[in-house]
C-alpha cells in the first residue's frame, strides 16, 4: 500500500490530513537534487509505511520536517495533530540537532538522543527512514557535507539499526556510506568486484537456486521463498577490514536464503543441503536454538557448492525472516496483524516472549538517569550499557565528550578533533600521565594531545590507529611526505600457480599465509586439473619486491597438501 493510495482511500484520515498539511508547508521548497522538498518527506513516510508502522507514525513521518524546515510552531502542530503525533515529530527534530561529529557531541546531547530513543522507539524508526532517504540522495550534496553525513550514518545510525535488529537497513546504510567515507578503498574494491563479476556470480546463484529448489522438492519441502545476493562492496570491505580477511576468506560473499514454513522444515532443508554439498567445518550455526542477543534467528551453513564455489546458505521460517530483516519494526507488524486474526492475549504473550532484550535495558537506563541528577560521571557510567558496548567515551581538557570505537588510541582521538592536530601530535597525556601513542583509551579518560611544530605522522601509527578517519589522514600525510623522493614503492603484479591435493580449508590456508606476509591478493582463480583429486589455484598478488616471490613460494610449499608452486611476474 502506498501513501497516495491510502490518502485516496481515506481522505478524512490522519495520514491524508498530514499529507496535505506537509504538502502546503513545503510548497515551493526545493532539495539540492532540484526535486520538490515534499518528495523527501513523502519518501520517508513510504519507508516507514513499508515497515508496517502504525498511522500516527506514518503521519509523523510526513510531518517530520515541518518544525525544523517548514517554520511551523510547535503549538500549531500540536493543535492540528494532537499530542501523540506532535511528540513523534518533536523527537525526530531533537535527534536532528545532535550532530555526531565527535568533538561536538556533548554528553547531554547524547543523552537527549538516547532518551528520545527509549521514550518512543517510533521516533528512532522515523529518523532512520529519514536518514535512509537522505543517504540515497546524498550525491546531490557538497563534498564536505557528504563525508560528514556518511560518517555519522556509518558510526551512529547503522549500528543503531543493527542494535534494533534491522539487518537489511544496517547493510543498506553501510553500503551507501562506503564510497563517501573511503573513496579510495571503494574504487580499488570496485576494480576487483566489477559489475561483470557480480553479474557472473548472480547467474551462478540463479543456477544454485534452481538446483536446490529441485533437491528440496524431491524431499517434499516447498520453500516459501528462495533469494540470493552477492555481498555489496560496503559490507564486504567492512568484513575484510574487521577480521583482516582477504576476499577469498569472506565466506558469505555469495549467499542464498531459503524460507520455509516451519522449524522442522528448517532442519530438514539443512539436511538436504549438506547431503548435496560438503559443509565447511565449524561454519554450521544454529541461531534457532541459540538466537543472537539482538534476536536474530536462522540456521546458517557454508558449503562448497557446484563448481567448487563457497557459499553461505541461511534457512529460516518467514516469521524469523521478518524479524531478522525488519527487527523491532516487525514487532509492530505482528501486533497489528495479530489483532485481527488471533486473540489479543495470544498476540501479547507472543510479543512479550520475543521482545528484544535491549529495549528493556534502555527503559531501565532511562529511569536511572531521570532519578539521578545529571552529572556527567553518572552519564558516562550509564553509557556503558550494551548499546554502546563497542564504543568508548573520552573527554578533552575542555570537557567535551568524544565517542570513539573501543580500542582507540590518542592518535584516533587527535585526528577525530582535527587533522592538523593529528598530524602534529608529538605525545599525549591521559588523566595527567604521560603515555605512549599506542596506549588504548578507556571510557572516562581525559586525553590531552601535546603538539610540536613541523612534526609529521610516522608510518608505524598505521599499526595502531583504529579509526578510518585517522588512517586516511595518516596515509595522505605520508604520501605527501614521499612525493618527490625516490622511495615510492611500486607493486609488482605476480601470478602464483599452485597445484595441491583438494581438501577443505586449503584455499583459506594458502591465502592466510599470503595475508600474514601483508601481501595484497588481487585475484584468485581455481580450476580442476587432469587429476580429479588435485586442484590448480592461481593467485594474482601485488608484491613489494621481486625476491618476495621466492619467500612466498617456500611458505606456500609448507601448506598441507600443496604439491607444486610456480610463479611469473606480469
Ligand atoms: Mn528529513
Amino acid at each position: 500500500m502506498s501513501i497516495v493510495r491510502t490518502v485516496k482511500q481515506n481522505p478524512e484520515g490522519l495520514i491524508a490530513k498530514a499529507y496535505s498539511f506537509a504538502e502546503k508547508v513545503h510548497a515551493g521548497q526545493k532539495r539540492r537534487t532540484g526535486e520538490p522538498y515534499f518528495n523527501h518527506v513523502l519518501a520517508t513516510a513510504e519507508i516507514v509505511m513499508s515497515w508496517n508502522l502504525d498511522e500516527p507514525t506514518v503521519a509523523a513521518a510526513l510531518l517530520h520536517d515541518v518544525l525544523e524546515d517548514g517554520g511551523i510552531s510547535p503549538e500549531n502542530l500540536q493543535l492540528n495533530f494532537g499530542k501523540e503525533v506532535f511528540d513523534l515529530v518533536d523527537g525526530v527534530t531533537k535527534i536532528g540537532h545532535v550532530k555526531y561529529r565527535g568533538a561536538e557531541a556533548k554528553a547531554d546531547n547524547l543523552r537527549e538522543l538516547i532518551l528520545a530513543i527509549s521514550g518512543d522507539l517510533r521516533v528512532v524508526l522515523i529518523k532512520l527512514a529519514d536518514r535512509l532517504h537522505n543517504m540515497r540522495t546524498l550525491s546531490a550534496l557538497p563534498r564536505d557535507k557528504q563525508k560528514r553525513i556518511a560518517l555519522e550514518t556509518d558510526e551512529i545510525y547503522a549500528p543503531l539499526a543493527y542494535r534494533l535488529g534491522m539487518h537489511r537497513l544496517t547493510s543498506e546504510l553501510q553500503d551507501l556510506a562506503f564510497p563517501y567515507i573511503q573513496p579510495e578503498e571503494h574504487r580499488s574494491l570496485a576494480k576487483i568486484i566489477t559489475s561483470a563479476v557480480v553479474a557472473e556470480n548472480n547467474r551462478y546463484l540463479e543456477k544454485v537456486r534452481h538446483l536446490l529448489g529441485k533437491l528440496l522438492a524431491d524431499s517434499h519441502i516447498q520453500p516459501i521463498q528462495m533469494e540470493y545476493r552477492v555481498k555489496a562492496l560496503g559490507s564486504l570491505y567492512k568484513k575484510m577490514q574487521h577480521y583482516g580477511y582477504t576476499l577469498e576468506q569472506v565466506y558469505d560473499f555469495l549467499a542464498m536464503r531459503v524460507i520455509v514454513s516451519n522449524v522442522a522444515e528448517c532442519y530438514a532443508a539443512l539436511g538436504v543441503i549438506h547431503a548435496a554439498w560438503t559443509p565447511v567445518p565449524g561454519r554450521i550455526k544454529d541461531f534457532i536454538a541459540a538466537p543472537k542477543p539482538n534476536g536474530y534467528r536462522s540456521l546458517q551453513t557454508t558449503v562448497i557448492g557446484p563448481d567448487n564455489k563457497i557459499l553461505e546458505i541461511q534457512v529460516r521460517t518467514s516469521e524469523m525472516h521478518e524479524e531478522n530483516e525488519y527487527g523491532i519494526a516487525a514487532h509492530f507488524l505482528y501486533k497489528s496483524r495479530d489483532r485481527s486474526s488471533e486473540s489479543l492475549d495470544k498476540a501479547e504473550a507472543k510479543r512479550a516472549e520475543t521482545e528484544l532484550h535491549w529495549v528493556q535495558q534502555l527503559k531501565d537506563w532511562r529511569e536511572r538517569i531521570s532519578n539521578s541528577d545529571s552529572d556527567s560521571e553518572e552519564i558516562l557510567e550509564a553509557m556503558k550499557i550494551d548499546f554502546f558496548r563497542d564504543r568508548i567515551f573520552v573527554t578533552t581538557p575542555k570537557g567535551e565528550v568524544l565517542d570513539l570505537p573501543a580500542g582507540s588510541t590518542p592518535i584516533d582521538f587527535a585526528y577525530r578533533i582535527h587533522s592538523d592536530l593529528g598530524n602534529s601530535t608529538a605525545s599525549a597525556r591521559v588523566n595527567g600521565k604521560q603515555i605512549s601513542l599506542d596506549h588504548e583509551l578507556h571510557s572516562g579518560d581525559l586525553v590531552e594531545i601535546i603538539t610540536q611544530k613541523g612534526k609529521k605522522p610516522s608510518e608505524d601509527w598505521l599499526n595502531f590507529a583504529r579509526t578510518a578517519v585517522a588512517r586516511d589522514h595518516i596515509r595522505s600525510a605520508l604520501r605527501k611526505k614521499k612525493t618527490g623522493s625516490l622511495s615510492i614503492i611500486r607493486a609488482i603484479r605476480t601470478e602464483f600457480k599452485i597445484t595441491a591435493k583438494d581438501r577443505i580449508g586449503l584455499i583459506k590456508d594458502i591465502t592466510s599465509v599470503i595475508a600474514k606476509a601483508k601481501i595484497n591478493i588481487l585475484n584468485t582463480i581455481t580450476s580442476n586439473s587432469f587429476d580429479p583429486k588435485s586442484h590448480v589455484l592461481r593467485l594474482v598478488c601485488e608484491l613489494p619486491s621481486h625476491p618476495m616471490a621466492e619467500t612466498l613460494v617456500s611458505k606456500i610449499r609448507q601448506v598441507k597438501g600443496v604439491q607444486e608452486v610456480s610463479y611469473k611476474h606480469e
Side-chain angles (χ1 to χ4, degrees):
M1 176 80 81
S2 77
I3 301 276
V4 176
R5 268 188 62 195
T6 311
V7 169
K8 275 197 191 131
Q9 274 182 7
N10 188 2
E12 304 298 315
L14 184 62
I15 292 174
K17 201 176 152 197
Y19 183 97
S20 56
F21 190 91
E23 199 178 26
K24 251 179 246 148
V25 168
H26 295 297
Q29 291 181 345
K30 288 243 151 69
R31 299 192 85 209
R32 276 197 185 257
T33 51
E35 287 178 289
Y37 197 93
F38 181 68
N39 287 9
H40 162 67
V41 295
L42 186 57
T44 304
E46 292 285 7
I47 295 168
V48 165
M49 193 176 234
S50 76
W51 293 339
N52 285 293
L53 296 177
D54 57 3
E55 260 197 349
T57 316
V58 176
L62 283 163
L63 298 165
H64 83 267
D65 277 332
V66 300
L67 295 178
E68 189 77 1
D69 299 307
I72 295 297
S73 72
E75 295 74 24
N76 183 349
L77 184 63
Q78 185 156 356
L79 203 69
N80 275 284
F81 291 94
K83 192 169 179 332
E84 184 178 8
V85 172
F86 169 76
D87 282 345
L88 291 172
V89 175
D90 189 48
V92 177
T93 309
K94 277 186 183 137
I95 296 184
H97 291 158
V98 182
K99 291 279 181 287
Y100 225 92
R101 196 165 23 183
E104 285 174 23
K106 303 246 171 61
D108 52 349
N109 283 346
L110 286 170
R111 187 180 52 147
E112 195 176 52
L113 169 79
I114 305 305
L115 283 177
I117 292 168
S118 50
D120 194 331
L121 282 168
R122 295 176 301 173
V123 170
V124 188
L125 294 169
I126 298 169
K127 184 65 200 174
L128 286 169
D130 172 49
R131 179 49 58 110
L132 179 59
H133 185 251
N134 283 334
M135 286 303 294
R136 283 176 180 167
T137 52
L138 194 61
S139 60
L141 289 191
R143 259 228 146 107
D144 56 323
K145 267 200 166 174
Q146 285 177 341
K147 179 127 187 190
R148 184 187 70 72
I149 292 171
L151 265 176
E152 189 178 81
T153 300
D154 194 58
E155 294 189 7
I156 301 306
Y157 290 104
L160 186 55
Y162 182 79
R163 296 286 195 273
L164 291 168
M166 303 172 86
H167 290 88
R168 176 176 296 190
L169 178 64
T170 308
S171 41
E172 187 171 355
L173 289 174
Q174 285 174 349
D175 290 325
L176 288 166
F178 179 47
Y180 299 101
I181 300 172
Q182 287 155 308
E184 269 181 51
E185 284 83 351
H186 177 260
R187 264 196 299 276
S188 58
L189 204 54
K191 267 187 211 154
I192 306 168
I193 319 288
T194 58
S195 47
V197 170
V198 174
E200 184 201 315
N201 281 303
N202 273 321
R203 278 194 299 277
Y204 170 79
L205 287 167
E206 182 58 44
K207 196 173 85 181
V208 176
R209 175 165 77 167
H210 191 71
L211 209 58
L212 182 54
K214 268 193 193 157
L215 292 170
L216 290 171
D218 289 346
S219 301
H220 310 289
I221 300 168
Q222 292 297 340
I224 296 170
Q225 198 185 331
M226 287 177 78
E227 50 185 33
Y228 55 80
R229 63 115 185 89
V230 177
K231 205 174 184 70
L233 295 187
S235 16
L236 182 62
Y237 182 76
K238 265 224 147 76
K239 192 149 205 176
M240 289 167 72
Q241 209 197 23
H242 188 255
Y243 296 101
Y245 282 173
T246 60
L247 190 52
E248 189 71 22
Q249 289 168 303
V250 178
Y251 279 164
D252 68 339
F253 177 56
L254 304 179
M256 173 81 49
R257 186 173 288 149
V258 182
I259 294 157
V260 293
S261 313
N262 54 55
V263 173
E265 277 192 2
C266 289
Y267 291 99
L270 190 71
V272 171
I273 292 163
H274 286 164
W277 301 304
T278 312
V280 176
R283 299 275 311 176
I284 305 166
K285 287 170 195 154
D286 186 349
F287 293 121
I288 294 178
K292 285 190 189 178
N294 68 3
Y296 178 89
R297 285 183 300 159
S298 187
L299 295 177
Q300 279 182 205
T301 185
T302 305
V303 298
I304 302 169
D307 309 331
N308 279 327
K309 282 196 175 203
I310 287 182
L311 73 148
E312 184 180 283
I313 304 180
Q314 305 174 341
V315 189
R316 53 177 74 156
T317 66
S318 45
E319 184 191 318
M320 293 173 197
H321 180 59
E322 271 165 6
E323 282 191 14
N324 294 345
E325 296 286 287
Y326 303 112
I328 194 76
H331 293 278
F332 291 94
L333 171 79
Y334 287 125
K335 204 176 171 189
S336 53
R337 192 194 277 160
D338 287 345
R339 207 174 274 160
S340 54
S341 56
E342 290 172 77
S343 75
L344 257 181
D345 280 358
K346 205 172 166 192
E348 273 310 306
K350 181 168 167 33
R351 223 172 86 77
E353 177 200 326
T354 47
E355 183 162 27
L356 300 174
H357 171 61
W358 74 270
V359 176
Q360 192 51 50
Q361 269 190 325
L362 282 175
K363 282 179 190 155
D364 292 349
W365 183 39
R366 188 178 173 224
E367 249 154 53
R368 255 196 295 154
I369 286 193
S370 56
N371 289 339
S372 71
D373 52 356
S374 55
D375 79 53
S376 64
E377 225 179 74
E378 184 78 25
I379 291 163
L380 281 170
E381 193 50 45
M383 275 171 182
K384 286 176 189 162
I385 59 158
D386 188 51
F387 177 69
F388 284 123
R389 188 177 44 197
D390 42 20
R391 303 200 67 84
I392 56 162
F393 293 80
V394 296
T395 53
T396 68
K398 282 183 197 153
E400 289 164 326
V401 178
L402 259 76
D403 82 295
L404 291 163
S408 288
T409 63
I411 291 292
D412 298 295
F413 173 89
Y415 277 106
R416 185 55 168 277
I417 294 173
H418 200 276
S419 59
D420 287 348
L421 183 66
N423 284 335
S424 54
T425 297
S427 61
R429 271 198 289 265
V430 167
N431 304 326
K433 269 208 331 240
Q434 189 86 24
I435 43 90
S436 63
L437 290 178
D438 62 356
H439 175 91
E440 191 178 310
L441 299 175
H442 296 284
S443 273
D445 280 348
L446 187 146
V447 188
E448 267 174 281
I449 297 295
I450 296 120
T451 59
Q452 192 186 317
K453 251 205 166 143
K455 182 87 179 52
K456 292 268 153 55
S458 121
E459 189 138 17
D460 70 51
W461 290 4
L462 287 172
N463 295 329
F464 50 77
R466 170 86 170 68
T467 52
V469 183
R471 302 177 66 83
D472 278 354
H473 284 303
I474 296 167
R475 269 194 223 114
S476 78
L478 289 172
R479 260 199 304 277
K480 268 183 209 149
K481 219 162 98 180
K482 273 185 187 157
T483 312
S485 84
L486 289 169
S487 63
I488 298 167
I489 298 165
R490 282 201 54 205
I492 302 149
R493 279 171 73 105
T494 307
E495 189 188 292
F496 291 88
K497 186 184 164 197
I498 301 153
T499 314
K501 265 219 179 77
D502 203 6
R503 66 171 173 87
I504 289 162
L506 174 75
I507 297 172
K508 189 173 162 260
D509 289 348
I510 292 172
T511 49
S512 75
V513 163
I514 297 168
K516 262 189 207 138
K518 296 216 162 94
I519 300 295
N520 202 9
I521 300 175
L522 295 178
N523 202 357
T524 58
I525 309 139
T526 59
S527 53
N528 293 321
S529 71
F530 295 113
D531 177 1
K533 276 185 189 145
S534 79
H535 214 70
V536 177
L537 175 68
R538 286 169 204 276
L539 291 171
V540 181
C541 302
E542 276 185 329
L543 303 187
S545 69
H546 286 91
M548 190 69 202
E550 284 296 336
T551 316
L552 275 184
V553 165
S554 66
K555 279 192 179 153
I556 295 169
R557 280 212 179 105
Q558 284 165 27
V559 173
K560 197 180 135 212
V562 170
Q563 292 157 328
E564 230 180 277
V565 189
S566 63
Y567 69 90
K568 60 171 195 266
H569 297 301
E570 287 191 350

